[in-house]
Amino acid sequence: MTHHDNPHHDHGHGHDHDFAGGNPDLIPIRVAEPAPRHPLDPLTAAEIDRAREILVDAGLLGESVRVPMLLPDEYTKDELAAWTPGDEIDRRVDVTLLDAATGEVAEAIVSVTRGEVLSQRTHAASEAPYGQPQYLFEEYERAAEIVKASPEWHAAMRRRGLEDRIELAFCSPLAPGFVGRANEVGRRVIRSLTFLRDSEDDIPWAHPVEGLIVHIDLVTNEVIGIEDEGDVPVPAGSGKYTPDAVGPARETLKPIEIVQPEGPSFHVDGHHVQWENWSLRVDFNAREGLVLHDVRFDDRPVLARASVPEMVVPYGDTSNTRFWISYFDAGEYLLGKNANHLELGCDCLGVIRYFDGYVADDHGHAVQIPNVVCMHEEDYGILWKHTEPSVVGSHVRRSRRLVVSYFSTIGNYDYGFYWYFYLDGSIQLEAKATGIVFVGAGIPGSENPHGPEIAPGVFAPVHQHLFSARLDVAIDGEDNRLLEIDAKRMPMGEGNPFGNAFTWTATALRTEHEAQREADTTVARVWEVQSASKTNYVGKPTAYHLIPQPTALLMADPASTVAARAAFATKHLWGTAYDRDERWPGGRYPNGHQGGAGLPAYTADDRSIDGEDLVLWHTFGLTHIPRPEDWPIMPVDYAGFWFKPYGFLDVNPAMNVPESSQAHAVAGADGGCGMGDACTCGH
């Protein structure tokens, strides 16, 4: 579904990207940001630049060496527990280095506090099934240059009668997946598809040149293969979506104004957030994007760390143009590095608190993504309500939630990640998919079993967006247990004489293999995370429920290379014993990897998770059979899950929420709120 190119590049935006590669939301650092005050604060620009200096001084960052990925080095939990405010923080970064001239890959841990490289290791360029580091922004542009300099590509364009449109061609670089081709294994490969534009400001996605694929080695900078199959006409319709193309905006919608005259209810100190009963720390890095730490309710731990560290977008098309597509948008492209600069009134409404993000560019220099994380409050309808006309009348309170979010653009697709915190102790994660569906060309009116026609001659392949959330749970502490809860139908008989009865079962999941589970809506399945040591006032373990929403798992055959690479997407739930180095569901380098990394490797020893420091990995997402209404930009599609208290609290914690400041109704003849005199929500 996702075409990945240099975001916003070559789309007529006219930005100068020399400093940062391709994301126009990355800007050079011009102002000094505060120094970190807590180990879990995000990396600053000064720290990223200092890490670069240390690597240069150590001889690890020479002229041909690039920085595909730079992240904060994960602290151990012992380090976090031992730290107290005022202590010096040993700030460390985890850097991947790529020698663009040789393909050699190195990894280094750098202490910016001590000014030294703490460790390093090197990988041979051809080591398999090692996989390749993330793509550089400069490689997208270089790939396009290699394609347009290729005589074979020019010959293919001439054969198709497109030689007069070469100047307006858009060469779209794409991760190759892994299909076992001998000339690709162990090499840094990218594929390029071709799209056409009618003018410099045209949107290229509507005009695919079907069946033309160029294979490129990004180390030798050469074309290693070209496919030119079929002569399907290039679709002629427009994919433009700007006002000059779609016409004037409708004038029937009246304004909705969101006003908080006394300001927001949250308090921010650095990156620590306090809102009602909730407290948490907001973090951001180049791979995962938004990360939340030390999430507490009533100052009781709920989550030690939460993020969406991976997603895969596999296609169900058998054509040579798309059968190999299975993008890992975090592991191959870096969700955080491609994050958006959010704008008030467009991405976020209300009284907003923004957080800036800092990432490294291809050369290791710090760049800023302003306003990358947005935080605000929003009304969420009814929180609770009850009416006892003859006793206390009607009482109602409105729900409100704290929203912490960011958006990332990976080529033609845009993904929003929204964490919601509710007054009743619930947490919700919602992923929002929008943007432009990835399309191919076909004969208008023809049938394609792998892609419906969504515009004349424009066919959109079936595909999935499968996300993996990593929840380092900490329900009242680090000693947690995992259970699977199913509703159970009871047969009519002596124990159920009227046939109405049903009950539930609770199955303990004690090891990593037992914790590889699938959701089942027919039995209302949830997964319960219990404290192994704390109980509530009825004597039961305090707990939270992970509540999945209906999601198809990976549709690819279990024997496919897609299933091997994206094994995390073959189960809705994985549970692992905590390990600070186990952060990536599909492995550190899924690009070009043959499979087996990440969760299959993490769980190979089948460790105990019963009463241990437990990490949950939850697969959720979308299976997309595109429709005409998805063109030219698809409305947001939603996927996610809930994490709700279940015996964590002794009563509804939102009973003392005040009535709405806008509370007013009309009293009826019987004294109820219906007509007549005004009354309040607590009548």
Side-chain angles (χ1 to χ4, degrees):
M1 170 188 214
T2 311
H3 155 69
H4 300 80
D5 74 320
N6 194 345
H8 306 285
H9 173 70
D10 205 9
H11 294 199
H13 289 262
H15 295 290
D16 179 358
H17 304 324
D18 290 346
F19 54 84
N23 188 343
D25 293 328
L26 299 176
I27 65 170
I29 305 302
R30 296 189 176 91
V31 295
E33 75 280 16
R37 294 183 293 163
H38 190 280
L40 297 176
D41 283 352
L43 289 176
T44 66
E47 290 173 327
I48 294 171
D49 283 336
R50 178 61 182 139
R52 185 185 191 282
E53 293 174 358
I54 296 166
L55 290 166
V56 170
D57 291 344
L60 298 177
L61 193 54
E63 184 176 346
S64 63
V65 176
R66 300 292 183 265
V67 180
M69 185 170 69
L70 185 149
L71 303 172
D73 183 46
E74 191 85 348
Y75 287 95
T76 68
K77 292 193 175 180
D78 287 343
E79 287 177 307
L80 292 174
W83 182 83
T84 58
D87 290 352
E88 183 181 47
I89 309 170
D90 184 16
R91 300 282 285 179
R92 307 187 300 263
V93 297
D94 177 351
V95 188
T96 298
L97 301 168
L98 170 70
D99 191 325
T102 66
E104 185 175 84
V105 179
E107 296 163 7
I109 303 296
V110 178
S111 170
V112 297
T113 307
R114 288 179 266 172
E116 60 181 318
V117 176
L118 302 180
S119 66
Q120 68 176 100
R121 62 173 182 162
T122 302
H123 303 275
S126 60
E127 186 177 343
Y130 170 67
Q132 288 288 329
Q134 294 69 32
Y135 285 115
L136 305 165
F137 283 168
E138 69 178 42
E139 288 177 317
Y140 305 146
E141 299 182 14
R142 190 160 76 245
E145 292 169 357
I146 293 169
V147 171
K148 290 190 173 184
S150 164
E152 296 91 344
W153 179 78
H154 280 267
M157 294 290 282
R158 286 194 300 272
R159 189 188 68 76
R160 292 166 178 260
L162 301 175
E163 61 271 18
D164 60 335
R165 302 180 69 179
I166 282 177
E167 290 302 315
L168 291 174
F170 170 54
C171 297
S172 155
L174 305 158
F178 182 91
V179 294
R181 290 172 174 166
N183 69 334
E184 294 180 350
V185 174
R187 300 175 76 172
R188 190 165 180 81
V189 173
I190 202 165
R191 307 198 206 287
S192 179
L193 302 185
T194 301
F195 295 80
L196 300 181
R197 296 177 297 181
D198 292 331
S199 60
E200 287 288 348
D201 63 349
D202 192 20
I203 307 301
W205 312 115
H207 312 297
V209 179
E210 186 64 31
L212 178 57
I213 310 109
V214 182
H215 309 266
I216 303 159
D217 185 314
L218 288 169
V219 176
T220 62
N221 295 318
E222 62 180 339
V223 172
I224 59 174
I226 188 166
E227 299 175 59
D228 178 18
E229 297 184 11
D231 295 293
V232 178
V234 176
S238 174
K240 290 185 177 181
Y241 52 83
T242 50
D244 61 312
V246 301
R250 66 183 70 178
E251 299 180 355
T252 52
L253 286 174
K254 306 304 181 184
I256 294 178
E257 301 293 343
I258 299 173
V259 178
Q260 292 181 269
E262 298 180 20
S265 305
F266 53 75
H267 174 73
V268 181
D269 181 13
H271 287 84
H272 182 261
V273 175
Q274 186 80 41
W275 180 74
E276 296 302 298
N277 301 76
W278 289 105
S279 68
L280 57 129
R281 305 196 71 89
V282 176
D283 188 9
F284 182 87
N285 69 56
R287 181 162 179 166
E288 298 164 281
L290 175 60
V291 179
L292 303 176
H293 298 280
D294 195 18
V295 178
R296 294 171 173 262
F297 192 83
D298 282 345
D299 203 30
R300 296 165 59 190
V302 176
L303 295 168
R305 191 181 191 277
S307 70
V308 181
E310 193 56 273
M311 60 175 290
V312 64
V313 189
Y315 280 68
D317 192 348
T318 59
S319 73
N320 69 321
T321 316
R322 285 170 291 278
F323 79 88
W324 40 269
I325 295 179
S326 54
Y327 305 125
F328 288 70
D329 283 352
E332 292 176 334
Y333 298 100
L334 301 179
L335 282 168
K337 190 175 179 180
N338 288 277
N340 294 179
H341 170 190
L342 302 176
E343 297 184 20
L344 182 63
C346 300
D347 301 288
C348 306
L349 292 176
V351 179
I352 307 300
R353 172 62 159 85
Y354 290 108
F355 298 88
D356 293 342
Y358 300 92
V359 298
D361 69 8
D362 293 349
H363 294 264
H365 296 290
V367 289
Q368 179 187 30
I369 311 177
N371 297 356
V372 71
V373 173
C374 167
M375 185 173 71
H376 67 285
E377 297 171 279
E378 62 186 24
D379 181 89
Y380 194 65
I382 301 300
L383 172 61
W384 57 261
K385 177 184 174 76
H386 186 58
T387 300
E388 291 279 357
S390 62
V391 184
V392 294
S394 180
H395 283 258
V396 60
R397 297 294 184 270
R398 293 198 65 79
S399 181
R400 186 184 300 197
R401 61 187 184 184
L402 179 71
V403 186
V404 188
S405 66
Y406 86 106
F407 245 95
S408 183
T409 298
I410 310 288
N412 58 297
Y413 252 97
D414 302 82
Y415 298 102
F417 297 89
Y418 286 67
W419 291 91
Y420 301 120
F421 296 87
Y422 293 86
L423 295 168
D424 68 348
S426 297
I427 302 171
Q428 180 189 11
L429 174 63
E430 187 173 67
K432 303 182 180 185
T434 180
I436 301 177
V437 293
F438 185 50
V439 300
I443 303 300
S446 63
E447 294 295 326
N448 183 336
H450 307 292
E453 186 176 16
I454 64 171
V458 177
F459 290 75
V462 295
H463 57 276
Q464 296 180 281
H465 305 254
L466 298 173
F467 305 88
S468 179
R470 181 182 183 272
L471 305 176
D472 182 354
V473 294
I475 306 304
D476 271 330
E478 302 285 3
D479 55 334
N480 288 174
R481 292 194 172 106
L482 180 63
L483 296 89
E484 184 169 87
I485 312 298
D486 288 349
K488 182 181 180 181
R489 179 180 290 113
M490 297 178 64
M492 186 178 289
E494 182 178 349
N496 184 19
F498 304 104
N500 66 298
F502 66 96
T503 184
W504 70 92
T505 61
T507 304
L509 306 175
R510 296 187 176 90
T511 71
E512 292 176 325
H513 287 179
E514 290 179 1
Q516 296 175 21
R517 307 298 298 167
E518 294 184 15
D520 188 349
T521 58
T522 66
V523 293
R525 178 168 292 168
V526 300
W527 294 289
E528 181 168 305
V529 184
Q530 294 182 347
S531 169
S533 57
K534 301 293 193 303
T535 57
N536 56 30
Y537 85 135
V538 295
K540 302 296 184 182
T542 57
Y544 260 72
H545 277 182
L546 174 58
I547 304 173
Q549 296 178 345
T551 299
L553 290 169
L554 187 73
M555 297 299 294
D557 190 279
S560 66
T561 59
V562 177
R565 298 177 66 230
F568 70 85
T570 64
K571 301 292 181 183
H572 287 109
L573 183 76
W574 302 68
T576 62
Y578 170 80
D579 185 317
R580 67 181 288 271
D581 295 322
E582 295 178 355
R583 292 171 58 187
W584 316 120
R588 183 177 175 103
Y589 304 122
N591 184 8
H593 200 290
Q594 71 181 35
L599 281 168
Y602 299 163
T603 59
D605 292 337
D606 196 22
R607 296 167 294 188
S608 170
I609 56 172
D610 193 37
E612 305 291 343
D613 190 352
L614 171 65
V615 178
L616 299 186
W617 312 73
H618 176 46
T619 301
F620 65 98
L622 305 164
T623 298
H624 196 181
I625 302 175
R627 55 188 181 140
E629 291 87 347
D630 291 328
W631 190 254
I633 296 182
M634 68 172 283
V636 165
D637 211 346
Y638 303 88
F641 62 89
W642 287 81
F643 199 52
K644 288 193 172 187
Y646 190 85
F648 186 78
L649 304 158
D650 291 340
V651 296
N652 180 348
M655 293 305 299
N656 62 348
V657 170
E659 65 181 37
S660 169
S661 61
Q662 302 177 59
H664 64 277
V666 189
D670 60 357
C673 293
M675 56 192 308
D677 298 332
C679 62
T680 71
C681 300
H683 173 79

